Amino acid sequence: METNMATTDHTDEAVPAAQAPGTHHSQFEMFWKEFRKNTLSLVGTAIILTMLLTALFAPFLAPHDPTTQFEAPDGEHNPMPMGTQMIVENDAGEVVGTTTAYLGTDHHGRDILSRIIYGLRTLMTVSLGVVGFAMALGVSAGAIAGYYRNTWVDEVVMRFMDILFSFPSLILAIAVLGVLGVGSTEYGSFTLPNIVKVIAVIGVVYIPSFARVMRGSVLKEMEEDYVDAAKSLGASDRHILVKDIAVNTLPTVVVQGTLYMGTAVLASAALSFLGLGIQPPNASLGLMLSNARGYLYSGEWWYSVFPGLVIVVTILGFNLLGDGLRDALDPRNDGGER
Amino acid sequence: MFRFVLKRLLLSVPVLLGVSVVVFALVHLAPGGPVRVMLGPLSSEELVRQIRLEMGLNRPLYVQYGMWVFDAIQGDFGVSWTVKQGTPVTDIIVERIPLTVELSILSMITAVLIAIPAGIISAVRKDKPADHAARIAALSGISIPDFWLGIILIMIFAVQFSFPWATGGWTPPWVDPVANLQQLFLPVITLGTAYSALIARMMRSEMLDTLSQDYVKTARAMGIGARETVLKDASKNALIPVVTVIGVGLGQLMNGAILTETVFNLPGIGKLLILAIDRRDYRIIQALILFIASVFVFANLAVDVLYAYLDPRIRHDGN
Amino acid sequence: MSAEPDEQPVLEIRDLVTRFYTDEGTVKAVDGSSFDLYEGETLGIVGESGSGKSVTALSMLQLVDAPGRIEGGSVRYRGDDLLEKSEAEMRSIRGNDIAMMFQDPMTSLNPVFTVGDQISRVIKTHQDVSDAAARERTIELMADVGIPEPTSRVDNYPHQFSGGMRQRALLAMAISCEPDVLIADEPTTALDVTIETQIFNVLDKLQEKYGMSIILITHDLGVVAGTCDRVAVAYGGRVVERAGVDALFENPRHPYTRGLMRSIPRLTDDTDRLTPVKGDVPNLTDLPSGCSFHPRCPHATAECESYDPELREVEPGREAACLHARGYNLSKSALETEGVQADGGSPATPATDGGESQ
């Protein structure tokens, strides 16, 4: 009814907040009602669920081991097109049968479908790692800066964020990997696994965004009455910081995280494409595209088309989901800011 | 306005210093330091020690940093080690700048020229077919990685239709402007698409916002035509925040430039960076990262100034 | 004073219907509104937020945006129906013959153009004058509305103006082409009381100088008492009472009007502003049956739930839409039909004069 009034009489400058401060349950129901209205959001959700499940169950879904190299049929050589009957050999090199490569094979005779499925697994792991890493550090930094607002702590943290922010995202990752070298790095007896390194170097540039969102939310929440109320009840500072603020800013951070998943997928794939990310023989979609470039002119289009399509659909899914989440949460935040 | 620019300029000094520290630390705090970076993990300890001595790398870090910054301010980044042995790093970089700058600027112009009208039309025709089409296009645009788009474009234009000029390479525009534009046609589309999509989305949402503002209603009530209110009243207000996105998108444009140059085999800054990493030429890496970050910082500064110039509320109040 | 002037009205609004088609349902924002505006007078349209006053004004100028649609009725301006006019014709009427100014001066001026540019632009839209002449006229207008130092203020941006000054600038814009009719939609709601008085003084002076007719849309009966000649009370998307201002205040006929008056002392209190009368503003998506005021009406009877009273003359020069209003003569047949329906409890179909049965 409130919304009706808003549309009917534009002079209602202050349409009162439509919902009474209700329980989290009813808030979630409202959010869901809003979210469900948008078909595209649901499509995004379906895509992401499919991708996550595929990544999770890759060993069961992939028809072949992603590193097994099959022989091309007589007189032909890899990469082979879709549906080719590939020759299977045993360890001794004897032909024991044939198998179908549904999406063709790559230049080593490996099954593209299997490599895509495993590549998706890698991509999802790295991307979730990137956003998780940036979220954990950014949210902490932002919360600290916001809580100690206008003190030297705030100043130091946020200036450092400015510096991180002044690197175009991929460039910093490329620089760090370029200097440290690709592959795992050894610090004395400690070995930093490559995947952790990749996650950290991509993730580091997203830290400032989370920190800023979090700091902003904390500043806003600190002005709300309920923080004062909690203080007057004698709750400890820590309790205020962790519980009240975190719970109330969680939706914003989650939306931000989802919106960044698309970018993280893009960056992870790009880094692999440049040969600086996941190293062979691990399956990686970006690496597949990089290799496929060598076969552009000879007409082996399937090699570059399918891995690329999977990347596109994944990013699209995250973007749809992120947009949907943001729009569904917007009425609650009574709009205004992006 | 002048005070604002000055203030903003001064604020970027600590950021740039911070950037230089990060870049310097990156190389010098890497396991084994710069020599290891250069020689790779397999070289002998003795060789490493000898070269460290020769290059003065055993002096205290802050001294080395001071010297490096001092030289860097004068544009001296030392000589290349492996990419082009003995050639000053600055020369190598400067030689590659025109291509990347041309590619970026052309992509940016193309992207803005497409995105702004698309965003406006999308907002004015909200929920009509034109809007749906524009939104789907924009959503696809931000979802397609530029390196894959480049590959697909090559496959379609160069392989399927055998366009003679879709094969990469770069002729400077002052040598042959026609060939130059032909060569950059596909790279510009590749690089411009995501950027364009980003701006179009922002423009649409800002237009929707400004179109519902009271001043638009007021203008209409005074007899100003709908078209004029869209093109003048709403657009000018919507463009102000969009300018910031154009700035934020610059980072994306630089990322994209590296990938696009790799896909199309264009000898620009991005290709040089990848090459330097491949050859472990740390001086070039250091110089390039500092260069790119500085460009990014100054571009953002320019955007802020432009923003202030466009928005009278900032222009006249000084802060 | 209370009687309607004899001459033809400048504006004649009849049975105006505007609806909004939203996801939540059809909103009957304007549901058969009728009133007249006479030469040189100030007509107050008063009602709570959500009574459809603003949409009525927007409909008159064909400024209703999607999902809203003007569905019926007529808006006669000097005899011509504005609803029949093309967009191009309307453009030359808006701002030129009929101008409208909105509630919030803080948002009604475009922040990126100077105040002077925004005023002279309206002049240049409707008149074939040079830039210099338009600027000259703009400065004059700014002086007219009481903006000090207009020659330097003309180049200021809106953010350099206070709220009251902005509203004056908007007023200058609205009168820049000396319109016949000025529609002012809650022109002082966003301003404090001293500024409100100043604005109304200026408005008064300008009305005298340019001989405009003014429609003043407001929720504030206090404002109406001080400024208007006649009043139309809006409720549930239509006009429920029309009268001269003195007659209305002396003796309100519609129970809603009485309720509004009782709430006057509280009107300064912002929080009570939205519901000066007990109960909620009706949901325009789902108006109550019969008289849409009946759920809140202290005098409501069974007939009120099913019979939808139309606006009728209750004494010369004033009209009301209430079965129980003194002087509201319902034809005998209609009342009889009414009685039958009340007994049977069947859904209401308002009887017409021609609907004699049995």
Side-chain angles (χ1 to χ4, degrees), chain C residues 34-48:
Chain C
S34 301
F35 55 91
D36 301 314
L37 177 71
Y38 291 91
E39 197 82 51
E41 73 164 353
T42 302
L43 170 74
I45 299 185
V46 66
E48 293 161 291

Side-chain angles (χ1 to χ4, degrees), chain B residues 5-63:
Chain B
V5 176
L6 198 70
K7 202 174 123 196
R8 227 12 223 88
L9 208 60
L10 287 177
L11 268 177
S12 57
V13 171
V15 171
L16 279 178
L17 271 181
V19 168
S20 73
V21 170
V22 171
V23 170
F24 182 81
L26 212 59
V27 170
H28 289 261
L29 297 182
V35 179
R36 268 270 176 252
V37 170
M38 240 157 35
L39 299 179
L42 296 176
S43 55
S44 74
E45 273 304 314
E46 195 158 328
L47 184 64
V48 169
R49 214 167 314 145
Q50 191 193 333
I51 295 175
R52 279 178 71 92
L53 212 66
E54 277 172 22
M55 295 176 67
L57 292 175
N58 49 353
R59 273 179 278 191
L61 271 185
Y62 64 88
V63 175

Side-chain angles (χ1 to χ4, degrees), chain C residues 14-28:
Chain C
R14 286 292 170 271
D15 303 320
L16 188 62
V17 176
T18 301
R19 291 187 178 151
F20 286 80
Y21 295 91
T22 69
D23 291 345
E24 280 80 27
T26 304
V27 182
K28 295 173 178 166

Side-chain angles (χ1 to χ4, degrees), chain B:
Chain B
M1 184 70 185
F2 177 72
R3 270 203 7 240
F4 173 80
V5 176
L6 198 70
K7 202 174 123 196
R8 227 12 223 88
L9 208 60
L10 287 177
L11 268 177
S12 57
V13 171
V15 171
L16 279 178
L17 271 181
V19 168
S20 73
V21 170
V22 171
V23 170
F24 182 81
L26 212 59
V27 170
H28 289 261
L29 297 182
V35 179
R36 268 270 176 252
V37 170
M38 240 157 35
L39 299 179
L42 296 176
S43 55
S44 74
E45 273 304 314
E46 195 158 328
L47 184 64
V48 169
R49 214 167 314 145
Q50 191 193 333
I51 295 175
R52 279 178 71 92
L53 212 66
E54 277 172 22
M55 295 176 67
L57 292 175
N58 49 353
R59 273 179 278 191
L61 271 185
Y62 64 88
V63 175
Q64 292 186 44
Y65 171 73
M67 286 166 58
W68 178 68
V69 168
F70 184 74
D71 287 345
I73 288 171
Q74 302 170 51
D76 179 5
F77 290 93
V79 293
S80 161
W81 182 259
T82 47
V83 167
K84 219 182 212 178
Q85 204 167 3
T87 314
V89 167
T90 313
D91 292 356
I92 299 178
I93 294 176
V94 166
E95 189 195 346
R96 302 238 181 179
I97 287 177
L99 164 58
T100 306
V101 168
E102 191 194 358
L103 175 64
S104 308
I105 288 180
L106 284 182
S107 304
M108 191 178 200
I109 293 173
T110 315
V112 170
L113 286 183
I114 294 171
I116 300 293
I120 293 176
I121 291 168
S122 203
V124 173
R125 298 244 172 281
K126 184 172 185 281
D127 293 332
K128 302 257 167 60
D131 179 32
H132 291 308
R135 289 178 76 184
I136 289 169
L139 198 61
S140 314
I142 59 165
S143 301
I144 297 178
D146 13 27
F147 50 93
W148 190 61
L149 182 61
I151 288 175
I152 298 299
L153 288 177
I154 290 177
M155 249 165 29
I156 295 171
F157 286 95
V159 182
Q160 278 315 113
F161 298 119
S162 318
F163 277 35
W165 38 265
T167 50
W170 186 66
T171 315
W174 54 87
V175 174
D176 184 349
V178 177
N180 171 274
L181 286 180
Q182 287 178 340
Q183 286 162 342
L184 284 184
F185 180 68
L186 291 184
V188 162
I189 293 179
T190 304
L191 186 52
T193 299
Y195 194 52
S196 185
L198 183 81
I199 298 169
R201 274 161 65 95
M202 182 73 178
M203 190 66 195
R204 176 180 185 272
S205 81
E206 285 304 325
M207 277 302 285
L208 285 178
D209 191 41
T210 53
L211 279 174
S212 67
Q213 292 292 321
D214 286 348
Y215 53 76
V216 171
K217 245 186 295 181
T218 300
R220 296 270 283 123
M222 296 299 166
I224 313 288
R227 177 188 296 262
E228 191 184 333
T229 54
V230 167
L231 291 181
K232 203 171 161 190
D233 301 73
S235 292
K236 193 163 178 202
N237 280 282
L239 270 176
I240 295 173
V242 167
V243 163
T244 30
V245 173
I246 293 178
V248 171
L250 276 180
Q252 195 184 327
L253 202 65
M254 290 183 188
N255 292 337
I258 297 183
L259 294 160
T260 307
E261 284 174 13
T262 304
V263 173
F264 289 95
N265 224 339
L266 298 170
I269 296 282
K271 199 88 202 319
L272 179 63
L273 182 61
I274 302 298
L275 186 69
I277 287 171
D278 215 35
R279 304 256 179 100
R280 306 182 149 269
D281 199 328
Y282 85 92
R283 281 177 178 153
I284 293 187
I285 302 176
Q286 255 183 344
L288 272 181
I289 301 299
L290 191 63
F291 173 72
I292 293 171
S294 310
V295 170
F296 192 56
V297 167
F298 282 113
N300 273 312
L301 191 143
V303 166
D304 278 4
V305 172
L306 184 61
Y307 186 98
Y309 174 74
L310 286 176
D311 191 338
R313 281 159 295 193
I314 301 177
R315 196 194 323 157
H316 289 272
D317 295 347
N319 39 37

Side-chain angles (χ1 to χ4, degrees), chain C residues 98-118:
Chain C
I98 305 175
M100 180 164 177
M101 58 191 290
F102 296 96
Q103 170 174 314
D104 190 353
M106 304 314 270
T107 56
S108 294
L109 286 167
N110 195 328
V112 299
F113 297 109
T114 63
V115 173
D117 279 349
Q118 294 183 58

